[in-house]
Amino acid sequence: MAMEAADEERAPLLQPQPQPSRGDADSEYTGDGSVDVNNQPALKRSTGNWRACFMILGVEFSENLAYYGISKNLVTYLTKILHESKVNAARNSSAWSGACYLTPLFGAFLADTYWGKYRTVLTFLPIYILGLLTLMASTSLPSSMTSSDAGHQLHSVAVYLGLYLVAFGNGGVKPCTSAFGADQFDGGDAAELRRKGSFFNWYTFMINSGSLLASTVLVWLQDNVGWGISFVIVVVVMAFFLAVFFAGSRVYRYRPVRGSPLTGVCQVVVAAVRKWHLELPDDSSLLFLDKAAIVVTPSSLSGEKGNVAAAAAPVSRWRQCTVTQVEEVKMLVRMCPIWACLVLFFSVSSQMSSTLVEQGTAMDNRVGPFTIPPASLATFHSIGVLLWIPVYDVALVPLARRATGKPKGITQLQRIGVGLAVAALIMAYSALVEERRLAAARAGAARTSILWQVPAQLMHGMAVVFTSIGKSEFFYDQAPRSMRSMCTALGQLAIAAGNYLSAFLLAVVASATTRGGDPGWIPDDLNKGHLDYFFWLMAALLLLDLLFFVFCAMRYKGSTAAS
């Protein structure tokens, strides 16, 4: 690494960046620089491909089974077992979900800079299991330990310790499994590149499979048998796939760690700040450069305009950056407004497992001879995703392609925008359902059926197909080649920010609407509140967000795939 850094330091400022070598499809070894467990060039016949991906996909399945097994019914657990208020339970649930999407930044940094993806997963997965074991142990504590009057808070401490151990363990697993799976296919082999596309399809399938099983089997067990048995199941499943993952170490292909791209971003910022007083060259062809790339010469230090010729002697990158570094940072900056627009969308996703579950507890959950746990309605979200993906690919894309002439039918930004509009409709629909439920409850009529929530869940599946998948494509395609992993993590960060925004909005609403002894919009007894007002507030914010997104999308300057 030190020799590579030294060679890079001596390179001319405008020297073209070396391209990765392309392997021969008939070659015995991979052509993308991957190595085996012994740090030797990876043999195609005995490493990587699907033989390795099956074990990686097992880890992803177990992680999603555990995560959704907790998140889908967490509000119910916090209100019924820990006796938290509905608004506090919704806020704490959103905060925990946000932490689960914030910690991957730390895990991705460790993987890219020090440990590599395999070692990071192998280190953090036991922490994940430890968190699940802590939650399992907490279910055996007496319910009296939650009594604040008696001062016994051991139960709550154990629950939140387990939750945040899970969030920390998740941080090393979530950002690495998809990338490590993609690493198992040779970038220099056309046949393996096609298999890589199939891997991402199965990766998405595993996510939804875990979510579907958690929303049905685990939630039913939690509500009808006990929370302890659900934690036993996920611990056994995850421990099994941890053993399988470790057993495959000789089959995997590994990419050498080359340092974090965050260093390059920091270098551009520091170099630009150091040369804030310099002027850019007059040559219009060089106006894409910013001050971080100006070569510091005695004349420039005297106040004259800097030049962009290569320096005669090596210069620290913390003082002078390459044009490539500067342009990569500019690409990141251009994506920031789009990222900001996604935050409110993911705050709606947070409502699906918090306030909509609370709404469901106040509805009639009997369907014929069956009693449906409110959190199980999220099953229709997973079904919606699985239904809308083929509808989008088979029907919508060909129709849009004929209308627009574009290969993908609509651009990535248009796809994201459609999802934002659907999210606003979800909140408006949920507000109307709550108005109907409140009117029936206050009139003493029959309770409103929980099946009225099904359209919202199906619509949310549609919104995810448009915005979430569009977000993933956008941050991958528009990112610099050297920063695609980091930009993928930034896309995940929008999910965390959405959960924290949801928790913040709930706290603000609770504070503003409970003054003077009023029950507020979201009291423990929803029949005395106005949850519909909160849903209308979310719908209004989403409309404003959509308008801002359209403005940003029209001004965005990136690749033709996005705009």
Side-chain angles (χ1 to χ4, degrees):
M1 290 297 294
M3 293 178 64
E4 291 176 5
D7 290 341
E8 186 181 9
E9 201 65 51
R10 290 192 291 269
L13 180 64
L14 300 179
Q15 176 178 319
Q17 298 296 311
Q19 297 298 315
S21 60
R22 307 297 291 179
D24 187 345
D26 298 325
S27 174
E28 184 179 3
Y29 298 96
T30 59
D32 56 6
S34 57
V35 297
D36 60 19
V37 69
N38 297 315
N39 205 32
Q40 300 298 314
L43 286 167
K44 284 188 177 183
R45 68 174 181 271
S46 59
T47 63
N49 264 293
W50 280 109
R51 69 174 71 84
C53 288
F54 288 130
M55 293 175 278
I56 299 170
L57 288 173
V59 171
E60 183 59 26
F61 169 78
S62 67
E63 189 275 321
N64 281 279
L65 181 69
Y67 171 75
Y68 288 109
I70 297 171
S71 65
K72 294 295 184 183
N73 213 17
L74 182 57
V75 165
T76 303
Y77 187 87
L78 296 179
T79 53
K80 291 188 176 181
I81 307 299
L82 295 188
H83 309 299
E84 294 185 2
S85 67
K86 283 184 166 55
V87 68
N88 283 339
R91 185 169 64 244
N92 290 334
S93 174
S94 295
W96 176 77
S97 296
C100 288
Y101 286 99
L102 184 62
T103 53
L105 286 176
F106 177 67
F109 174 77
L110 289 178
D112 288 344
T113 309
Y114 301 109
W115 292 351
K117 304 175 188 70
Y118 169 76
R119 185 180 171 190
T120 302
V121 173
L122 206 59
T123 300
F124 279 80
L125 208 53
I127 299 175
Y128 205 128
I129 294 174
L130 178 61
L132 293 173
L133 288 171
T134 304
L135 288 171
M136 184 174 68
S138 73
T139 62
S140 64
L141 295 175
S143 59
S144 61
M145 287 190 173
T146 61
S147 172
S148 58
D149 295 335
H152 297 298
Q153 296 298 315
L154 180 59
H155 196 166
S156 296
V157 170
V159 168
Y160 281 102
L161 175 62
L163 286 175
Y164 282 92
L165 279 173
V166 165
F168 186 69
N170 175 80
V173 178
K174 192 177 290 293
C176 296
T177 48
S178 63
F180 190 52
D183 288 348
Q184 306 310 308
F185 300 94
D186 184 7
D189 188 319
E192 291 199 18
L193 279 176
R194 287 193 295 271
R195 296 187 199 118
K196 182 188 289 189
S198 180
F199 165 77
F200 283 110
N201 292 334
W202 282 102
Y203 181 82
T204 304
F205 179 83
M206 285 299 176
I207 293 175
N208 284 279
S209 296
S211 175
L212 190 60
L213 285 174
S215 301
T216 52
V217 176
L218 293 186
V219 168
W220 185 89
L221 288 173
Q222 290 164 0
D223 286 358
N224 295 278
V225 180
W227 283 80
I229 185 63
S230 69
F231 291 132
V232 169
I233 291 173
V234 294
V235 166
V236 171
V237 171
M238 184 168 286
F240 171 76
F241 282 112
L242 171 60
V244 171
F245 180 75
F246 177 72
S249 58
R250 292 188 174 277
V251 182
Y252 302 135
R253 295 173 185 172
Y254 306 87
R255 297 291 177 86
V257 176
R258 301 192 183 279
S260 173
L262 288 174
T263 302
V265 175
C266 294
Q267 286 173 340
V268 171
V269 174
V270 171
V273 170
R274 283 180 166 181
K275 292 182 280 190
W276 63 272
H277 60 286
L278 299 182
E279 296 182 42
L280 291 170
D282 291 327
D283 188 343
S284 60
S285 66
L286 300 176
L287 288 179
F288 66 94
L289 302 173
D290 77 24
K291 296 179 180 181
I294 295 177
V295 175
V296 179
T297 64
S299 60
S300 64
L301 292 175
S302 301
E304 299 178 16
K305 291 181 174 61
N307 65 75
V308 292
V315 180
S316 169
R317 287 289 169 82
W318 294 96
R319 288 186 175 274
Q320 183 173 302
C321 301
T322 64
V323 172
T324 301
Q325 281 182 287
V326 173
E327 289 303 304
E328 287 177 344
V329 174
K330 288 182 179 179
M331 293 170 73
L332 293 176
V333 172
R334 284 194 290 266
M335 290 190 288
C336 287
I338 304 299
W339 180 90
C341 293
L342 291 168
V343 173
L344 196 60
F345 172 84
F346 289 110
S347 69
V348 172
S349 298
S350 178
Q351 305 312 313
M352 309 308 290
S353 58
S354 57
T355 52
L356 258 74
V357 173
E358 293 178 346
Q359 183 189 53
T361 60
M363 304 175 81
D364 183 5
N365 63 344
R366 294 170 299 172
V367 180
F370 302 102
T371 300
I372 301 177
S376 289
L377 266 292
T379 302
F380 289 97
H381 159 74
S382 299
I383 293 173
V385 171
L386 296 176
L387 287 176
W388 277 106
I389 286 177
V391 169
Y392 181 85
D393 286 339
V394 177
L396 296 181
V397 170
L399 288 174
R401 187 182 295 127
R402 285 196 291 268
T404 64
K406 296 179 179 180
K408 293 185 178 180
I410 59 177
T411 66
Q412 294 163 356
L413 293 177
Q414 288 170 340
R415 185 173 184 175
I416 293 172
V418 170
L420 290 175
V422 173
L425 291 176
I426 292 171
M427 288 291 94
Y429 173 82
S430 298
L432 292 173
V433 170
E434 179 63 11
E435 288 180 356
R436 176 190 179 93
R437 189 199 68 78
L438 275 177
R442 292 171 179 174
R447 298 172 72 190
T448 304
S449 172
I450 197 171
L451 292 181
W452 281 96
Q453 286 191 341
V454 171
Q457 295 287 354
L458 292 174
M459 290 167 66
H460 187 239
M462 177 184 179
V464 165
V465 169
F466 278 90
T467 295
S468 291
I469 298 178
K471 177 262 300 179
S472 299
E473 291 183 1
F474 175 80
F475 281 101
Y476 181 84
D477 289 342
Q478 300 300 306
R481 287 185 180 272
S482 63
M483 297 186 184
R484 280 178 171 169
S485 296
M486 186 177 74
C487 288
T488 300
L490 287 175
Q492 296 291 324
L493 183 61
I495 303 176
N499 281 280
Y500 283 118
L501 177 62
S502 173
F504 173 76
L505 289 174
L506 286 167
V508 170
V509 166
S511 175
T513 61
T514 56
R515 295 175 180 175
D518 291 336
W521 288 0
I522 316 177
D524 291 339
D525 182 358
L526 291 182
N527 294 337
K528 298 179 181 179
H530 268 292
L531 182 59
D532 54 327
Y533 290 176
F534 178 73
F535 289 147
W536 283 121
L537 172 65
M538 291 293 297
L541 291 175
L542 280 160
L543 284 177
L544 294 176
D545 186 57
L546 178 61
L547 292 175
F548 179 65
F549 173 81
V550 171
F551 172 78
C552 295
M554 293 176 65
R555 295 172 59 88
Y556 182 80
K557 294 181 180 179
S559 74
T560 54
S563 56

